[in-house]
Amino acid sequence: MSNSKGRFGVHGGQYIPETLINAVIELEEAYNHYKNDPEFNRELTELLNEYAGRPSRLYYAEKMTKDLGGAKIYLKREDLNHTGAHKINNVLGQALLAKKMGKTRLIAETGAGQHGVATATAAALMGMECVVFMGEEDTKRQALNVYKMKLLGAEVIPVTSGTATLKDAVSEAMREWTSRIDDTHYCLGSVMGPHPFPTIVRDFQAVISKEIKEQMLEKEGRLPDAVIACVGGGSNAIGTFYNFIEDKSVALIGCEAAGRGIDTFETAATINTGRLGIFHGMKSYFCQDKYGQIAPVYSISAGLDYPGIGPEHAYLHDIHRAEYVAITDDEAVNAFEYLSRTEGIIPAIESSHALAHAMKIAPTMDKDKIIVVTISGRGDKDCAAIARYRGENISE
Amino acid sequence: MSNIKKAFENGKAFIAFITCGDPDLNTTKEAVKAAVKGGADLIELGIPFSDPTAEGPVIQGANLRALKGGITTDKIFDFVVDLRKEVSVPMVFMTYANVVYSYGSEDFIRRCHEIDIDGLILPDLPFEEKEEFEDVCNKYDVDLVSLIAPTSANRIAMIAKEAKGFIYVVSSLGVTGTRSSITTDLDSIVKVIRENTDVPCAIGFGISTPEQASKMSSISDGAIVGSAIIKLLEKHGKSAPSYIEDYVRSMKTAI
């Protein structure tokens, strides 16, 4: 398509109302200018290092490795970042960019609340106004994060339309952006939406694979055999994959939320159950019915509970460069508990989907093979929900 | 070339938007007939979408009520065949890109042609992406309607030059819904449109009163009203058509 921008194979594009087009063009131009600006990059690196605590550790999970008896397992500890997840990498980049563009107000959607907390944090740091849209269902699942956002000075708007989860929060943030563009930047949290967001968010998250590569070469003197990450929209996964795409010996594995199973209606596994469509500004794979109505997806994880996937992932799937597997609630909860007991690390329920797959494949691999699993966030926020899943009621 | 131009031959055009299947297709049929009787020159039939990102709460509600009632694209196609026996004014579909794409773009647009649908409005399809459906629309004489927004600025001429059917001028920032005032400098936008095309333009978003309709149509070639009509359906349900007829007459008289 000659006029269309931001394509990954057939995926991507800019399927948004005319009202927003000049705003995304302005964003693209600003990004293209600042991404090569030494001063911008110096400021961003300083924020990432001094404020967010990068580089994050690449930790050898020795007990887990021995227990599973196969491939050597390393954990990329994005959970150790300030605000407890990989989301801060993207948010600091976008907030700094927005500030350079003269914007004074950030709006964001959030699922689990990690992106909302990260955006509220950056807004507090940079003296910007912040409004976060969050599905009402998710405000209940993630009450602690709602409190944190308010504490950080953000306004949290519970979204009651549709399924009252992440996709509805995205829709509402888009509606808000169409009504107020001049002073407002939409700080999108994943590698989705209209161009240039999938590219901008990927570039800001690519620091994950850049560090993995350097750290792995330092520790093992070679590249890993597989890198594994969970996929909702897909930002920590694309961050984990990006600098390995050209290294064909490295398997790229994304773990989708199967919910109660991909043969049930209660699933959020887009690649495994969805088909090509156009939604939220992009062409990609979506869970939908035969008439194109977006399906009400389900996962125990509020962060993976999204009916689509970023366009670059859809493309990596099409060309068979990356593999996307589905992990059920049960498998993820088991992995959540396993890592807590085995390594003393409580992972986010999102990241537990990636761990669950590592637990499946590591025992089938030789001991000289190496797997890296990205722990995209920490699991404090999930403890109450997992306790409930196990039939125990605790108050937060 | 479709029949849309006929809608602009009877003075200023009054364009009515009605969501199919809210609360049921029989009421939609009566509502369309009532709007035409009241003087509507063109009917926009909404095909509901689960996640209508350009709509405010009123039309979102209509979409969800209709979907809950079991409406589907195929049922709407059959409904239009039936409706066309009694309604001859130009009609267009308004829906979202995925509804067309998911059905199979060519199948959907061919079907539009077969049942005398004159155009297609897709609020999530900007100029840059119109190639997605444009060739097929041209092949079947279905006008792919372009939208121009208060933020379009340097894009107005480019969009106007390639416009078909009519141009949908979005009056204000934000989503659909009634507004107490419209502050955009629409005169300048319409001036640039006129310099670049003979295709008529109508203004929509936020129009609910005869005074607003009169003002908007004095600037342009017509006024588009959706949420105010949907509110009548929301309030009166199956007995809404008579209220719609009176309302549309008051609006058409004002313009």
Side-chain angles (χ1 to χ4, degrees), chain B residues 185-232:
Chain B
D185 179 8
L186 293 160
D187 283 307
S188 329
I189 292 175
V190 172
K191 183 168 174 282
V192 181
I193 293 173
R194 300 255 200 256
E195 284 163 7
N196 286 282
T197 182
D198 296 329
V199 170
C201 61
I203 301 176
F205 277 44
I207 302 172
S208 62
T209 66
E211 295 72 34
Q212 287 173 321
S214 163
K215 189 170 171 223
M216 292 301 124
S217 59
S218 72
I219 301 169
S220 67
D221 302 307
I224 307 165
V225 173
S227 296
I229 294 173
I230 302 298
K231 275 186 187 168
L232 292 174

Side-chain angles (χ1 to χ4, degrees), chain A residues 1-5 7 10 12-22 25 161-163 167-168 170-172 174-176 178-182 275-281 283 286 288-295, chain B residues 47-56 60 64 67 71-75 97-103 123-129 131-133 147-155 159 162 170 172-175 205:
Chain A
M1 302 220 175
S2 56
N3 287 323
S4 180
K5 289 191 282 192
R7 291 279 169 176
V10 300
Q14 294 178 303
Y15 299 88
I16 47 171
E18 170 62 22
T19 305
L20 288 176
I21 289 284
N22 268 329
I25 291 173
S161 60
T163 50
K167 84 168 161 82
D168 309 288
V170 173
S171 296
E172 213 50 45
M174 283 184 167
R175 290 184 184 116
E176 170 65 18
T178 44
S179 70
R180 192 166 160 187
I181 298 166
D182 273 1
R275 61 191 176 85
L276 198 55
I278 297 169
F279 183 50
H280 276 162
K283 185 181 275 184
F286 296 96
Q288 54 184 314
D289 74 7
K290 73 177 273 215
Y291 290 107
Q293 307 295 344
I294 302 303
Chain B
I47 302 181
F49 182 50
S50 52
D51 300 82
T53 48
E55 314 297 350
Q60 281 180 47
L64 295 182
L67 288 171
I71 200 77
T72 67
T73 308
D74 280 321
K75 285 182 187 170
N98 201 46
V99 171
V100 182
Y101 185 80
S102 166
Y103 194 89
D124 56 347
L125 192 83
F127 182 85
E128 282 76 0
E129 303 294 351
E131 289 167 63
E132 183 79 52
F133 305 112
L147 290 94
I148 286 174
T151 50
S152 293
N154 55 338
R155 300 167 49 80
I159 297 170
E162 295 189 16
V170 176
S172 327
L173 294 179
V175 293
F205 277 44

Side-chain angles (χ1 to χ4, degrees), chain A residues 5-270:
Chain A
K5 289 191 282 192
R7 291 279 169 176
F8 303 91
V10 300
H11 308 282
Q14 294 178 303
Y15 299 88
I16 47 171
E18 170 62 22
T19 305
L20 288 176
I21 289 284
N22 268 329
V24 296
I25 291 173
E26 182 199 7
L27 177 62
E28 182 186 16
E29 287 170 353
Y31 180 64
N32 285 339
H33 171 76
Y34 285 110
K35 74 176 179 187
N36 300 315
D37 177 50
E39 176 59 18
F40 178 85
N41 284 299
R42 191 195 59 73
E43 280 179 62
L44 180 57
T45 303
E46 187 173 319
L47 282 169
L48 289 172
N49 294 353
E50 303 302 321
Y51 186 71
R54 300 208 73 86
S56 72
R57 302 290 173 172
L58 184 68
Y59 167 76
Y60 171 43
E62 190 174 359
K63 274 186 75 192
M64 185 177 170
T65 299
K66 286 189 173 145
D67 182 57
L68 293 173
K72 212 168 172 182
I73 298 169
Y74 281 86
L75 305 178
K76 180 60 174 166
R77 300 288 310 275
E78 292 299 303
D79 59 316
L80 295 179
N81 295 339
H82 179 44
T83 72
H86 69 292
K87 294 292 186 186
I88 194 79
N89 305 332
N90 165 47
V91 164
L92 288 174
Q94 282 199 50
L96 188 62
L97 181 62
K99 192 144 194 177
K100 301 271 180 199
M101 291 170 72
K103 307 286 180 185
T104 55
R105 180 171 176 261
L106 297 176
I107 59 170
E109 84 294 344
T110 197
Q114 293 305 105
H115 176 59
V117 167
T119 308
T121 298
L125 177 69
M126 299 189 195
M128 298 169 92
E129 200 185 324
C130 182
V131 180
V132 179
F133 294 87
M134 186 170 187
E136 193 177 44
E137 187 63 28
D138 293 337
T139 62
K140 290 178 200 153
R141 288 197 280 194
Q142 304 288 353
L144 187 59
N145 274 341
V146 175
Y147 180 76
K148 283 187 194 167
M149 288 183 265
K150 290 180 179 167
L151 185 65
L152 291 158
E155 183 187 354
V156 180
I157 299 183
V159 177
T160 54
S161 60
T163 50
T165 58
L166 181 54
K167 84 168 161 82
D168 309 288
V170 173
S171 296
E172 213 50 45
M174 283 184 167
R175 290 184 184 116
E176 170 65 18
W177 203 26
T178 44
S179 70
R180 192 166 160 187
I181 298 166
D182 273 1
D183 65 345
T184 299
H185 173 70
Y186 178 16
C187 187
L188 225 164
S190 195
V191 284
M192 47 156 292
H195 175 73
F197 285 107
T199 299
I200 291 182
V201 178
R202 176 200 68 202
D203 290 354
F204 288 141
Q205 291 294 359
V207 65
I208 300 174
S209 51
K210 179 174 165 281
E211 288 176 6
I212 293 175
K213 207 169 198 176
E214 290 163 3
Q215 292 163 325
M216 187 53 67
L217 288 172
E218 194 183 307
K219 287 175 193 287
E220 296 279 351
R222 69 176 187 92
L223 296 179
D225 297 287
V227 293
I228 307 178
C230 63
V231 183
S235 70
N236 94 82
I238 210 78
T240 301
F241 295 171
Y242 189 63
N243 287 287
F244 293 112
I245 290 175
E246 298 305 319
D247 300 313
K248 297 291 155 66
S249 68
V250 182
L252 313 176
I253 306 172
C255 300
E256 302 191 310
R260 298 205 163 89
I262 56 171
D263 50 354
T264 73
F265 287 106
E266 290 175 296
T267 180
T270 309

Side-chain angles (χ1 to χ4, degrees), chain A residues 8-11 285 310-321:
Chain A
F8 303 91
V10 300
H11 308 282
Y285 294 106
E312 192 164 7
H313 284 295
Y315 175 64
L316 291 173
H317 167 73
D318 286 354
I319 62 168
H320 307 295
R321 177 63 191 94

